[in-house]
Amino acid sequence: MNLFAEMGLPAPLVKKLTAMGIEEPTPIQTHAIPYALDGNDVMGLAQTGTGKTAAFGLPLLAQLMEMRGKPEPKTVRSLILAPTRELAGQIRDALLPLVKDTPIKIGVVVGGASINAQIKRLERGTDVLVATPGRLLDLLDRRALRLDSTRFLVLDEADQMLDLGFIHALRKIAGLLPAERQTMLFSATMPKQMEEIAASYLTHPKRVQVSLPGKAVDKIEQSIHFISKAEKPNLLIELLDKHREELALVFGRTKHGSDKLAKKLQEAGYSVATIHGNKSQGQRERALKAFRDGQVKVLVATDVAARGLDIPDVKHVYNFDLPNVPENYVHRIGRTARAGRDGMAVAFCAPDEMGELKDIQKVMGISIPVASGRPWERIEEPAKPKGRGGPRRRGGKPGHTAGNAGSPGNANHKPGGGRPNRRRRNKGPRQAA
């Protein structure tokens, strides 16, 4: 018997799940779906790749199936907010097979696409609208839709929405929603500010947590190389050469840096695509399709791709640059080991990234196994006299140059060579992905 039927999901939904070969719920689904079906607000915490979309999507669709008639023009019966275009598209794609041959209509509105076409589609009213906060506000400003009759609100990957600076947009959107609604919030991590958001948006929520925040999927084999910044491209090419026919996702920190790295990989003979915030929606979708279909083997991306990419065949994830936000490391490596598969996550650490590495390992509660090199020594700089700019930032330099082989078996890798940065760079405002 399909275990979803025992939760009280309607027979048509259970039948579709069975036809898709889905008969056993994941832990987050097992705990969240019954609460949501009873009309409770739900706060779900689970690591990436554990089935959160179905955890909120199935009870949402089940309740919509009980509603009579069609939505009124420009109204939205249920709203799902996602931080990125890619995640919004993935949510839509996951829900579409479940509403086939039903009156329920699912729409998606994201930046980078024609706003006029989206306005036209919204005129008919929408059962389920999946949206990014920025584009939704644009449409609200143009009076293209109303939220006063929205019965259901879902905040997916809420922690990333906070990280991307959507807090003010979320507050404005929430103020346009009716007080009487069901709200579900799902996240992979629980930063302090999330507790404040939960208190504002949720009413007596049922909290469901199936894994510790910051815990990576157990089937991911992690490793780290301590290597100078200049030698990172050479080491990446050396490692990619070992699995040219397997899909690899490479994360950079900035748009310009990702484009520059992609060019070097192309010069080395790799089929490469890139996605970041400067790419149009069409360019991003074409790059993802080519990667998913195997037409390109390497995808270079900023953190815009850390959430919402569900490509089961990604075997390798490379953190070419360590992320500024430690939780993003967990989301990045969660792009591998999907659907029960094994995966490998390789990180590169330059001297000025020791602070990021320390934060990542603190969040995860582990020490990442060292593949090559030795940890760079962090130096405590003496504080400046008061009134002259305050204490210096901490930097790093190699501890034992002779032991810092950038790559096993390759004498050309010399992370100890050159003059290391003694001060961490002033990061300033984060570059948008």
Side-chain angles (χ1 to χ4, degrees):
M1 180 179 178
N2 192 309
L3 295 180
F4 284 98
E6 299 179 2
M7 296 182 177
L9 289 170
L13 268 182
V14 175
K15 185 177 180 180
K16 284 183 170 63
L17 290 169
T18 302
M20 296 164 65
I22 303 173
E23 298 187 350
E24 186 173 346
T26 66
I28 187 67
Q29 294 164 5
T30 299
H31 291 84
I33 290 175
Y35 284 138
L37 285 174
D38 287 341
N40 295 289
D41 283 4
V42 175
M43 178 192 294
L45 299 174
Q47 63 198 40
T48 185
T50 53
K52 293 196 294 292
T53 301
F56 64 75
L58 288 170
L60 175 62
L61 295 178
Q63 294 179 83
L64 287 174
M65 287 178 176
E66 297 177 355
M67 298 178 69
R68 297 180 178 274
K70 297 181 180 180
E72 296 180 6
K74 295 187 178 183
T75 63
V76 174
R77 282 180 166 171
S78 57
L79 175 64
I80 302 173
L81 292 176
T84 66
R85 310 171 196 172
E86 284 72 25
L87 181 55
Q90 180 182 310
I91 294 171
R92 173 201 58 197
D93 294 343
L95 298 182
L96 280 176
L98 299 173
V99 299
K100 187 179 180 181
D101 301 322
T102 74
I104 295 176
K105 303 300 179 185
I106 298 176
V108 60
V109 292
V110 298
S114 170
I115 194 168
N116 291 327
Q118 293 174 357
I119 290 173
K120 188 172 182 62
R121 287 194 295 269
L122 290 169
E123 289 177 354
R124 299 188 293 269
T126 311
D127 293 292
V128 181
L129 182 64
V130 189
T132 52
R135 177 48 59 95
L136 181 64
L137 285 178
D138 290 341
L139 291 163
L140 288 167
D141 288 342
R142 297 186 183 210
R143 302 185 184 278
L145 75 160
R146 305 186 347 244
L147 300 179
D148 56 313
S149 59
T150 300
R151 297 276 304 278
F152 307 95
L153 171 66
V154 177
L155 303 176
D156 193 21
E157 302 289 9
D159 52 349
Q160 192 188 21
M161 283 196 273
L162 293 182
D163 182 43
L164 292 177
F166 286 134
I167 180 65
H168 298 298
L170 294 178
R171 286 173 178 158
K172 185 174 181 180
I173 293 167
L176 300 174
L177 293 163
E180 293 295 324
R181 66 173 190 268
Q182 182 182 23
T183 303
M184 291 181 273
L185 182 153
F186 284 79
S187 179
T189 61
M190 195 68 183
K192 183 178 180 180
Q193 195 176 20
M194 188 65 67
E195 295 283 1
E196 300 172 12
I197 293 295
S200 301
Y201 285 63
L202 307 175
T203 303
H204 306 300
K206 300 296 184 180
R207 182 176 176 128
V208 177
Q209 183 171 332
V210 298
S211 63
L212 293 175
K215 186 179 183 299
V217 176
D218 293 333
K219 292 190 175 184
I220 301 176
E221 179 183 338
Q222 301 179 62
S223 63
I224 189 163
H225 296 265
F226 293 97
I227 183 168
S228 67
K229 184 176 181 179
E231 286 299 317
K232 283 185 178 184
N234 293 335
L235 177 56
L236 178 61
I237 290 171
E238 178 183 324
L239 296 176
L240 289 173
D241 276 339
K242 297 177 181 179
H243 54 82
R244 277 186 169 268
E245 296 307 311
E246 295 177 322
L247 298 185
L249 181 56
V250 181
F251 283 103
R253 184 176 294 176
T254 66
K255 307 166 190 175
H256 174 72
S258 297
D259 284 337
K260 185 177 179 181
L261 176 60
K263 185 176 180 180
K264 288 185 178 180
L265 294 177
Q266 287 172 340
E267 292 171 351
Y270 286 95
S271 55
V272 184
T274 60
I275 59 171
H276 52 63
N278 281 352
K279 300 286 185 179
S280 69
Q281 182 65 16
Q283 288 174 321
R284 288 158 74 156
E285 289 177 354
R286 287 190 294 272
L288 287 173
K289 185 178 187 304
F291 185 57
R292 186 177 285 111
D293 295 344
Q295 297 173 4
V296 299
K297 299 298 184 182
V298 182
L299 180 66
V300 182
T302 57
D303 280 316
V304 72
R307 314 276 185 110
L309 282 188
D310 189 6
I311 303 175
D313 294 332
V314 175
K315 177 74 173 178
H316 308 268
V317 170
Y318 290 94
N319 278 280
F320 185 82
D321 297 314
L322 294 182
N324 289 318
V325 179
E327 288 84 2
N328 283 354
Y329 174 86
V330 180
H331 304 308
R332 288 180 177 189
I333 69 175
R335 298 310 100 198
T336 188
R338 309 288 287 184
R341 294 172 170 83
D342 294 330
M344 300 183 67
V346 181
F348 297 168
C349 182
D352 62 352
E353 293 177 301
M354 282 301 295
E356 283 83 352
L357 176 61
K358 180 181 178 181
D359 292 342
I360 289 167
Q361 295 187 138
K362 181 179 179 181
V363 165
M364 298 186 67
I366 65 168
S367 292
I368 302 173
V370 178
S372 71
R374 294 182 184 179
W376 306 96
E377 180 183 338
R378 298 188 71 194
I379 296 178
E380 296 293 338
E381 299 279 5
K384 288 183 178 181
K386 290 184 178 181
R388 295 188 179 184
R392 281 186 176 182
R393 291 182 178 273
R394 289 177 294 179
K397 74 172 184 177
H400 301 282
T401 302
N404 270 307
S407 174
N410 188 341
N412 292 325
H413 289 285
K414 298 177 181 179
R419 184 176 180 180
N421 294 328
R422 295 184 65 87
R423 296 177 64 191
R424 287 183 67 186
R425 293 171 298 173
N426 185 0
K427 296 173 186 175
R430 293 183 60 224
Q431 183 172 0

